[in-house]
Amino acid sequence: MDWHPDILGDGFEACSFEAAGDDGVARTATLVRYSPATGPATKDSGRRRALLFLHGWSDYFFNVDLARFWADRGYEFHALDMHNHGRSLRPDAPGGYVGDLADYDAEISKAIGVIGSGGPQPELTLMGHSTGGLVAALWVANHPGAASQLILNSPWLEMHGNSLVRRAASTMVAPVARFRPEAILRLPERGFYWRTISSSAEGEWALDDRYRPPMAFPLRAGWLSAILAGHAKVARGLGIDIPILVLLSQGSANGPFWTEEMRRTDAVLDVNIIALRALTLGRTVTVERIDGALHDVFLSPPKVRADAYARLARWLRGYAEGDAASTAPP
């Protein structure tokens, strides 16, 4: 792997690689790692822990505070800019596009292989935000035993409203997705969430508009069909057998016009239906509802994201950071 200094500066490195899925198509992805000068903190001897973060749609990894949180807890932090996103964008490729969520499997598996090289196999925690949360949940369900914990930050597990909306949307988009998968669907563009997080607007985060466009990438028929198929799998139940943490805002504000409520709610998803869908993921699911949180709870205003980090740390103490042997039956 050809590691080089990353755009995030000191301590961050990146490398791009190709991975071919079951369809034989080689796709480019980029793995980012955080290597602080002092090395990751050691919480207990003899255990190697690693975390892989998956971003949302029309997004990329940029949250250095999140990387530092995990490093401070003794984890080797990595993030994957999946194909057609962020650092992996190519001039001739449609930004954000995927025709089947399973197309991400090969690059995720290869990234995990890279993480595990050069030492004892680490205990892996997979973390995903929004669409990356959906992808992470499906990947864990299809690769039992590969991860020890699953953490989902506002995962996109269902359409707004209910499953009837999803089924109606599937019926309408299926013919276009079949014959013209990269056809752009003309839907209203809304940059409300970007407005709350970008330092170019009213937020505090420096975003690269090439990687995280204010209005997101064009929405294509094949992509939407793939998302809806993923939602249908979640609705049927995934049977994940590892501990799962789902972090969500307390409320949603999804209207067609800007409101001040969007500064303290999820302006992208219907968090109530997501909370219900979370219970179909597996047998051990913790749902944390965070008052005042944005769509990415770790990009919320300082006091709110401090609450989110505190809840995450509490969950880790209960499920991930104890003595592994202590969970064995007497």
Side-chain angles (χ1 to χ4, degrees):
M1 305 296 289
D2 182 18
W3 293 97
H4 55 82
D6 184 58
I7 57 175
L8 296 179
D10 291 347
F12 290 92
E13 297 177 305
C15 67
S16 295
F17 61 87
E18 288 191 343
D22 292 339
D23 57 3
V25 176
R27 300 177 176 89
T28 299
T30 305
L31 187 62
V32 179
R33 69 182 179 188
Y34 177 50
S35 302
T38 58
T42 301
K43 293 298 181 182
D44 46 63
S45 60
R47 297 178 68 182
R48 184 184 174 203
R49 295 192 181 100
L51 180 127
L52 178 63
F53 173 82
L54 305 181
H55 57 78
W57 181 61
S58 282
D59 210 344
Y60 70 110
F61 173 70
F62 60 86
N63 191 341
V64 297
D65 290 347
L66 184 67
R68 290 167 181 155
F69 169 87
W70 286 104
D72 287 346
R73 303 196 75 84
Y75 288 75
E76 300 170 24
F77 179 87
H78 297 76
L80 185 67
D81 275 13
M82 295 178 283
H83 71 266
N84 291 342
H85 285 86
R87 300 161 178 83
S88 306
L89 279 170
R90 297 296 179 265
D92 58 342
Y97 182 75
V98 67
D100 186 334
L101 296 183
D103 290 346
Y104 291 127
D105 282 15
E107 59 208 69
I108 295 171
S109 296
K110 187 166 183 176
I112 290 172
V114 172
I115 294 169
S117 63
Q121 193 66 26
E123 296 177 17
L124 177 70
T125 297
L126 195 60
M127 182 178 190
H129 166 59
S130 196
T131 305
L134 173 62
V135 172
L138 294 172
W139 190 91
V140 168
N142 291 330
H143 298 80
S148 299
Q149 294 89 29
L150 176 63
I151 299 172
L152 305 177
N153 171 6
S154 301
W156 191 15
L157 303 178
E158 182 59 279
M159 294 294 288
H160 290 72
N162 54 43
S163 59
L164 295 178
V165 175
R166 167 170 42 83
R167 291 167 184 164
S170 296
T171 299
M172 290 186 290
V173 78
V176 183
R178 181 178 178 183
F179 296 107
R180 298 175 56 219
E182 294 189 19
I184 295 175
L185 303 179
R186 302 297 179 182
L187 297 176
E189 294 183 331
R190 299 169 186 168
F192 302 146
Y193 172 56
W194 178 88
R195 174 177 171 177
T196 64
I197 63 173
S198 175
S199 59
S200 297
E202 299 168 21
E204 62 179 286
W205 302 92
L207 306 180
D208 189 322
D209 289 352
R210 297 172 301 169
Y211 299 162
R212 210 300 173 193
M215 296 296 175
F217 292 122
L219 194 155
R220 301 176 187 271
W223 173 86
L224 181 56
S225 181
I227 295 295
L228 295 170
H231 290 168
K233 291 178 182 178
V234 171
R236 292 193 292 268
L238 297 185
I240 296 172
D241 62 356
I242 59 175
I244 304 168
L245 172 63
V246 178
L247 300 130
L248 295 168
S249 179
Q250 187 66 26
S252 295
N254 307 120
F257 305 105
W258 169 262
T259 67
E260 289 299 304
E261 191 69 13
M262 292 176 177
R263 299 186 191 277
R264 50 188 174 270
T265 57
D266 190 322
V268 178
L269 301 180
D270 180 341
V271 293
N272 290 327
I273 190 65
I274 301 301
L276 290 174
R277 276 288 175 262
L279 302 181
T280 68
L281 295 174
R283 295 180 292 177
T284 306
V285 181
T286 303
V287 178
E288 291 279 5
R289 301 291 294 269
I290 301 167
D291 192 29
L294 300 176
H295 175 51
D296 185 333
V297 300
F298 297 110
L299 301 183
S300 302
K303 289 184 179 179
V304 178
R305 67 176 181 264
D307 182 23
Y309 278 118
R311 291 167 183 260
L312 172 55
R314 180 178 63 186
W315 185 86
L316 289 172
R317 289 194 297 271
Y319 282 103
E321 295 178 354
D323 182 357
S326 67
T327 62

PDB file of all heavy atoms in Angstrom, residues 115-143:
ATOM      1  N   ILE A 115      -6.033  -3.283   7.370  1.00  0.00           N
ATOM      2  CA  ILE A 115      -6.003  -2.924   8.786  1.00  0.00           C
ATOM      3  C   ILE A 115      -5.425  -4.061   9.621  1.00  0.00           C
ATOM      4  O   ILE A 115      -4.657  -3.842  10.564  1.00  0.00           O
ATOM      5  CB  ILE A 115      -7.420  -2.563   9.269  1.00  0.00           C
ATOM      6  CG1 ILE A 115      -7.907  -1.286   8.581  1.00  0.00           C
ATOM      7  CG2 ILE A 115      -7.465  -2.399  10.785  1.00  0.00           C
ATOM      8  CD1 ILE A 115      -9.382  -1.002   8.789  1.00  0.00           C
ATOM      9  N   GLY A 116      -5.765  -5.285   9.269  1.00  0.00           N
ATOM     10  CA  GLY A 116      -5.330  -6.436  10.054  1.00  0.00           C
ATOM     11  C   GLY A 116      -3.918  -6.893   9.778  1.00  0.00           C
ATOM     12  O   GLY A 116      -3.402  -7.763  10.490  1.00  0.00           O
ATOM     13  N   SER A 117      -3.270  -6.355   8.762  1.00  0.00           N
ATOM     14  CA  SER A 117      -1.928  -6.809   8.419  1.00  0.00           C
ATOM     15  C   SER A 117      -0.899  -6.231   9.380  1.00  0.00           C
ATOM     16  O   SER A 117      -1.118  -5.208  10.024  1.00  0.00           O
ATOM     17  CB  SER A 117      -1.584  -6.397   6.982  1.00  0.00           C
ATOM     18  OG  SER A 117      -1.572  -4.978   6.871  1.00  0.00           O
ATOM     19  N   GLY A 118       0.225  -6.885   9.477  1.00  0.00           N
ATOM     20  CA  GLY A 118       1.339  -6.357  10.261  1.00  0.00           C
ATOM     21  C   GLY A 118       1.229  -6.561  11.746  1.00  0.00           C
ATOM     22  O   GLY A 118       1.891  -5.860  12.519  1.00  0.00           O
ATOM     23  N   GLY A 119       0.422  -7.505  12.187  1.00  0.00           N
ATOM     24  CA  GLY A 119       0.321  -7.755  13.622  1.00  0.00           C
ATOM     25  C   GLY A 119      -0.800  -8.728  13.911  1.00  0.00           C
ATOM     26  O   GLY A 119      -1.419  -9.272  12.994  1.00  0.00           O
ATOM     27  N   PRO A 120      -1.099  -8.971  15.190  1.00  0.00           N
ATOM     28  CA  PRO A 120      -2.204  -9.863  15.529  1.00  0.00           C
ATOM     29  C   PRO A 120      -3.528  -9.297  15.021  1.00  0.00           C
ATOM     30  O   PRO A 120      -3.695  -8.081  14.905  1.00  0.00           O
ATOM     31  CB  PRO A 120      -2.175  -9.907  17.060  1.00  0.00           C
ATOM     32  CG  PRO A 120      -1.453  -8.664  17.458  1.00  0.00           C
ATOM     33  CD  PRO A 120      -0.446  -8.413  16.385  1.00  0.00           C
ATOM     34  N   GLN A 121      -4.445 -10.174  14.683  1.00  0.00           N
ATOM     35  CA  GLN A 121      -5.731  -9.729  14.155  1.00  0.00           C
ATOM     36  C   GLN A 121      -6.453  -8.867  15.185  1.00  0.00           C
ATOM     37  O   GLN A 121      -6.665  -9.277  16.323  1.00  0.00           O
ATOM     38  CB  GLN A 121      -6.600 -10.939  13.795  1.00  0.00           C
ATOM     39  CG  GLN A 121      -7.813 -10.605  12.953  1.00  0.00           C
ATOM     40  CD  GLN A 121      -7.435 -10.093  11.560  1.00  0.00           C
ATOM     41  OE1 GLN A 121      -6.373 -10.404  11.050  1.00  0.00           O
ATOM     42  NE2 GLN A 121      -8.316  -9.302  10.956  1.00  0.00           N
ATOM     43  N   PRO A 122      -6.842  -7.638  14.824  1.00  0.00           N
ATOM     44  CA  PRO A 122      -7.494  -6.771  15.808  1.00  0.00           C
ATOM     45  C   PRO A 122      -8.968  -7.102  15.990  1.00  0.00           C
ATOM     46  O   PRO A 122      -9.604  -7.698  15.122  1.00  0.00           O
ATOM     47  CB  PRO A 122      -7.342  -5.377  15.186  1.00  0.00           C
ATOM     48  CG  PRO A 122      -7.354  -5.635  13.713  1.00  0.00           C
ATOM     49  CD  PRO A 122      -6.654  -6.965  13.532  1.00  0.00           C
ATOM     50  N   GLU A 123      -9.494  -6.718  17.141  1.00  0.00           N
ATOM     51  CA  GLU A 123     -10.940  -6.719  17.332  1.00  0.00           C
ATOM     52  C   GLU A 123     -11.485  -5.532  16.545  1.00  0.00           C
ATOM     53  O   GLU A 123     -11.108  -4.392  16.798  1.00  0.00           O
ATOM     54  CB  GLU A 123     -11.291  -6.584  18.803  1.00  0.00           C
ATOM     55  CG  GLU A 123     -10.820  -7.739  19.656  1.00  0.00           C
ATOM     56  CD  GLU A 123     -11.124  -7.511  21.134  1.00  0.00           C
ATOM     57  OE1 GLU A 123     -11.969  -6.639  21.439  1.00  0.00           O
ATOM     58  OE2 GLU A 123     -10.499  -8.171  21.963  1.00  0.00           O
ATOM     59  N   LEU A 124     -12.359  -5.797  15.591  1.00  0.00           N
ATOM     60  CA  LEU A 124     -12.820  -4.758  14.680  1.00  0.00           C
ATOM     61  C   LEU A 124     -14.166  -4.202  15.103  1.00  0.00           C
ATOM     62  O   LEU A 124     -15.110  -4.947  15.366  1.00  0.00           O
ATOM     63  CB  LEU A 124     -12.934  -5.317  13.262  1.00  0.00           C
ATOM     64  CG  LEU A 124     -13.475  -4.332  12.216  1.00  0.00           C
ATOM     65  CD1 LEU A 124     -12.449  -3.238  11.923  1.00  0.00           C
ATOM     66  CD2 LEU A 124     -13.881  -5.057  10.942  1.00  0.00           C
ATOM     67  N   THR A 125     -14.259  -2.893  15.145  1.00  0.00           N
ATOM     68  CA  THR A 125     -15.528  -2.194  15.296  1.00  0.00           C
ATOM     69  C   THR A 125     -15.807  -1.478  13.986  1.00  0.00           C
ATOM     70  O   THR A 125     -14.948  -0.770  13.461  1.00  0.00           O
ATOM     71  CB  THR A 125     -15.472  -1.171  16.450  1.00  0.00           C
ATOM     72  OG1 THR A 125     -15.244  -1.862  17.675  1.00  0.00           O
ATOM     73  CG2 THR A 125     -16.784  -0.403  16.543  1.00  0.00           C
ATOM     74  N   LEU A 126     -17.005  -1.675  13.451  1.00  0.00           N
ATOM     75  CA  LEU A 126     -17.401  -1.003  12.214  1.00  0.00           C
ATOM     76  C   LEU A 126     -18.385   0.096  12.574  1.00  0.00           C
ATOM     77  O   LEU A 126     -19.333  -0.122  13.344  1.00  0.00           O
ATOM     78  CB  LEU A 126     -18.037  -1.998  11.251  1.00  0.00           C
ATOM     79  CG  LEU A 126     -18.188  -1.555   9.792  1.00  0.00           C
ATOM     80  CD1 LEU A 126     -16.832  -1.237   9.178  1.00  0.00           C
ATOM     81  CD2 LEU A 126     -18.882  -2.644   8.970  1.00  0.00           C
ATOM     82  N   MET A 127     -18.144   1.289  12.029  1.00  0.00           N
ATOM     83  CA  MET A 127     -18.983   2.445  12.323  1.00  0.00           C
ATOM     84  C   MET A 127     -19.421   3.083  11.017  1.00  0.00           C
ATOM     85  O   MET A 127     -18.604   3.276  10.111  1.00  0.00           O
ATOM     86  CB  MET A 127     -18.204   3.454  13.172  1.00  0.00           C
ATOM     87  CG  MET A 127     -18.988   4.688  13.586  1.00  0.00           C
ATOM     88  SD  MET A 127     -17.974   5.794  14.632  1.00  0.00           S
ATOM     89  CE  MET A 127     -19.236   6.954  15.174  1.00  0.00           C
ATOM     90  N   GLY A 128     -20.700   3.417  10.896  1.00  0.00           N
ATOM     91  CA  GLY A 128     -21.187   4.018   9.664  1.00  0.00           C
ATOM     92  C   GLY A 128     -22.167   5.141   9.933  1.00  0.00           C
ATOM     93  O   GLY A 128     -22.933   5.104  10.909  1.00  0.00           O
ATOM     94  N   HIS A 129     -22.144   6.134   9.057  1.00  0.00           N
ATOM     95  CA  HIS A 129     -23.056   7.274   9.161  1.00  0.00           C
ATOM     96  C   HIS A 129     -24.005   7.292   7.979  1.00  0.00           C
ATOM     97  O   HIS A 129     -23.595   7.130   6.826  1.00  0.00           O
ATOM     98  CB  HIS A 129     -22.261   8.580   9.202  1.00  0.00           C
ATOM     99  CG  HIS A 129     -23.105   9.806   8.964  1.00  0.00           C
ATOM    100  ND1 HIS A 129     -24.164  10.130   9.778  1.00  0.00           N
ATOM    101  CD2 HIS A 129     -23.055  10.767   7.999  1.00  0.00           C
ATOM    102  CE1 HIS A 129     -24.727  11.233   9.334  1.00  0.00           C
ATOM    103  NE2 HIS A 129     -24.082  11.639   8.251  1.00  0.00           N
ATOM    104  N   SER A 130     -25.297   7.478   8.238  1.00  0.00           N
ATOM    105  CA  SER A 130     -26.327   7.654   7.219  1.00  0.00           C
ATOM    106  C   SER A 130     -26.329   6.476   6.233  1.00  0.00           C
ATOM    107  O   SER A 130     -26.509   5.329   6.645  1.00  0.00           O
ATOM    108  CB  SER A 130     -26.125   8.995   6.513  1.00  0.00           C
ATOM    109  OG  SER A 130     -27.282   9.364   5.800  1.00  0.00           O
ATOM    110  N   THR A 131     -26.091   6.726   4.944  1.00  0.00           N
ATOM    111  CA  THR A 131     -26.033   5.612   3.991  1.00  0.00           C
ATOM    112  C   THR A 131     -24.903   4.657   4.343  1.00  0.00           C
ATOM    113  O   THR A 131     -25.023   3.439   4.171  1.00  0.00           O
ATOM    114  CB  THR A 131     -25.852   6.142   2.557  1.00  0.00           C
ATOM    115  OG1 THR A 131     -26.895   7.066   2.271  1.00  0.00           O
ATOM    116  CG2 THR A 131     -25.883   5.007   1.549  1.00  0.00           C
ATOM    117  N   GLY A 132     -23.798   5.199   4.870  1.00  0.00           N
ATOM    118  CA  GLY A 132     -22.714   4.336   5.338  1.00  0.00           C
ATOM    119  C   GLY A 132     -23.142   3.439   6.480  1.00  0.00           C
ATOM    120  O   GLY A 132     -22.614   2.334   6.647  1.00  0.00           O
ATOM    121  N   GLY A 133     -24.107   3.889   7.277  1.00  0.00           N
ATOM    122  CA  GLY A 133     -24.660   3.032   8.321  1.00  0.00           C
ATOM    123  C   GLY A 133     -25.456   1.881   7.745  1.00  0.00           C
ATOM    124  O   GLY A 133     -25.381   0.740   8.239  1.00  0.00           O
ATOM    125  N   LEU A 134     -26.230   2.149   6.700  1.00  0.00           N
ATOM    126  CA  LEU A 134     -26.950   1.080   6.010  1.00  0.00           C
ATOM    127  C   LEU A 134     -25.975   0.082   5.410  1.00  0.00           C
ATOM    128  O   LEU A 134     -26.128  -1.139   5.556  1.00  0.00           O
ATOM    129  CB  LEU A 134     -27.842   1.683   4.921  1.00  0.00           C
ATOM    130  CG  LEU A 134     -28.550   0.711   3.987  1.00  0.00           C
ATOM    131  CD1 LEU A 134     -29.518  -0.187   4.749  1.00  0.00           C
ATOM    132  CD2 LEU A 134     -29.283   1.480   2.873  1.00  0.00           C
ATOM    133  N   VAL A 135     -24.939   0.593   4.742  1.00  0.00           N
ATOM    134  CA  VAL A 135     -23.930  -0.279   4.136  1.00  0.00           C
ATOM    135  C   VAL A 135     -23.227  -1.111   5.204  1.00  0.00           C
ATOM    136  O   VAL A 135     -23.010  -2.320   5.032  1.00  0.00           O
ATOM    137  CB  VAL A 135     -22.913   0.565   3.344  1.00  0.00           C
ATOM    138  CG1 VAL A 135     -21.745  -0.299   2.866  1.00  0.00           C
ATOM    139  CG2 VAL A 135     -23.591   1.244   2.157  1.00  0.00           C
ATOM    140  N   ALA A 136     -22.872  -0.487   6.323  1.00  0.00           N
ATOM    141  CA  ALA A 136     -22.172  -1.197   7.391  1.00  0.00           C
ATOM    142  C   ALA A 136     -23.035  -2.311   7.970  1.00  0.00           C
ATOM    143  O   ALA A 136     -22.549  -3.428   8.215  1.00  0.00           O
ATOM    144  CB  ALA A 136     -21.771  -0.211   8.493  1.00  0.00           C
ATOM    145  N   ALA A 137     -24.312  -2.032   8.194  1.00  0.00           N
ATOM    146  CA  ALA A 137     -25.202  -3.050   8.748  1.00  0.00           C
ATOM    147  C   ALA A 137     -25.333  -4.244   7.800  1.00  0.00           C
ATOM    148  O   ALA A 137     -25.280  -5.409   8.224  1.00  0.00           O
ATOM    149  CB  ALA A 137     -26.569  -2.440   9.046  1.00  0.00           C
ATOM    150  N   LEU A 138     -25.508  -3.976   6.511  1.00  0.00           N
ATOM    151  CA  LEU A 138     -25.635  -5.063   5.539  1.00  0.00           C
ATOM    152  C   LEU A 138     -24.337  -5.854   5.441  1.00  0.00           C
ATOM    153  O   LEU A 138     -24.352  -7.090   5.342  1.00  0.00           O
ATOM    154  CB  LEU A 138     -26.021  -4.492   4.172  1.00  0.00           C
ATOM    155  CG  LEU A 138     -27.410  -3.843   4.088  1.00  0.00           C
ATOM    156  CD1 LEU A 138     -27.587  -3.145   2.744  1.00  0.00           C
ATOM    157  CD2 LEU A 138     -28.511  -4.865   4.317  1.00  0.00           C
ATOM    158  N   TRP A 139     -23.187  -5.163   5.499  1.00  0.00           N
ATOM    159  CA  TRP A 139     -21.898  -5.858   5.410  1.00  0.00           C
ATOM    160  C   TRP A 139     -21.699  -6.770   6.613  1.00  0.00           C
ATOM    161  O   TRP A 139     -21.293  -7.934   6.455  1.00  0.00           O
ATOM    162  CB  TRP A 139     -20.755  -4.854   5.310  1.00  0.00           C
ATOM    163  CG  TRP A 139     -19.447  -5.505   4.979  1.00  0.00           C
ATOM    164  CD1 TRP A 139     -18.931  -5.720   3.731  1.00  0.00           C
ATOM    165  CD2 TRP A 139     -18.501  -6.070   5.906  1.00  0.00           C
ATOM    166  NE1 TRP A 139     -17.724  -6.378   3.821  1.00  0.00           N
ATOM    167  CE2 TRP A 139     -17.441  -6.601   5.152  1.00  0.00           C
ATOM    168  CE3 TRP A 139     -18.466  -6.168   7.288  1.00  0.00           C
ATOM    169  CZ2 TRP A 139     -16.344  -7.231   5.730  1.00  0.00           C
ATOM    170  CZ3 TRP A 139     -17.377  -6.796   7.885  1.00  0.00           C
ATOM    171  CH2 TRP A 139     -16.324  -7.322   7.107  1.00  0.00           C
ATOM    172  N   VAL A 140     -21.990  -6.288   7.808  1.00  0.00           N
ATOM    173  CA  VAL A 140     -21.835  -7.111   9.012  1.00  0.00           C
ATOM    174  C   VAL A 140     -22.764  -8.326   8.960  1.00  0.00           C
ATOM    175  O   VAL A 140     -22.375  -9.439   9.329  1.00  0.00           O
ATOM    176  CB  VAL A 140     -22.103  -6.264  10.277  1.00  0.00           C
ATOM    177  CG1 VAL A 140     -22.251  -7.147  11.508  1.00  0.00           C
ATOM    178  CG2 VAL A 140     -20.971  -5.263  10.488  1.00  0.00           C
ATOM    179  N   ALA A 141     -23.993  -8.116   8.481  1.00  0.00           N
ATOM    180  CA  ALA A 141     -24.932  -9.233   8.378  1.00  0.00           C
ATOM    181  C   ALA A 141     -24.432 -10.302   7.410  1.00  0.00           C
ATOM    182  O   ALA A 141     -24.658 -11.501   7.621  1.00  0.00           O
ATOM    183  CB  ALA A 141     -26.302  -8.729   7.941  1.00  0.00           C
ATOM    184  N   ASN A 142     -23.724  -9.875   6.359  1.00  0.00           N
ATOM    185  CA  ASN A 142     -23.223 -10.817   5.356  1.00  0.00           C
ATOM    186  C   ASN A 142     -21.860 -11.396   5.690  1.00  0.00           C
ATOM    187  O   ASN A 142     -21.380 -12.295   4.989  1.00  0.00           O
ATOM    188  CB  ASN A 142     -23.144 -10.122   3.985  1.00  0.00           C
ATOM    189  CG  ASN A 142     -24.515  -9.814   3.407  1.00  0.00           C
ATOM    190  OD1 ASN A 142     -25.473 -10.538   3.667  1.00  0.00           O
ATOM    191  ND2 ASN A 142     -24.615  -8.732   2.658  1.00  0.00           N
ATOM    192  N   HIS A 143     -21.220 -10.878   6.759  1.00  0.00           N
ATOM    193  CA  HIS A 143     -19.890 -11.354   7.155  1.00  0.00           C
ATOM    194  C   HIS A 143     -19.865 -11.631   8.658  1.00  0.00           C
ATOM    195  O   HIS A 143     -19.171 -10.949   9.416  1.00  0.00           O
ATOM    196  CB  HIS A 143     -18.813 -10.329   6.777  1.00  0.00           C
ATOM    197  CG  HIS A 143     -18.703 -10.065   5.313  1.00  0.00           C
ATOM    198  ND1 HIS A 143     -19.567  -9.228   4.642  1.00  0.00           N
ATOM    199  CD2 HIS A 143     -17.829 -10.537   4.382  1.00  0.00           C
ATOM    200  CE1 HIS A 143     -19.224  -9.203   3.354  1.00  0.00           C
ATOM    201  NE2 HIS A 143     -18.182  -9.974   3.176  1.00  0.00           N
TER     202      HIS A 143
END
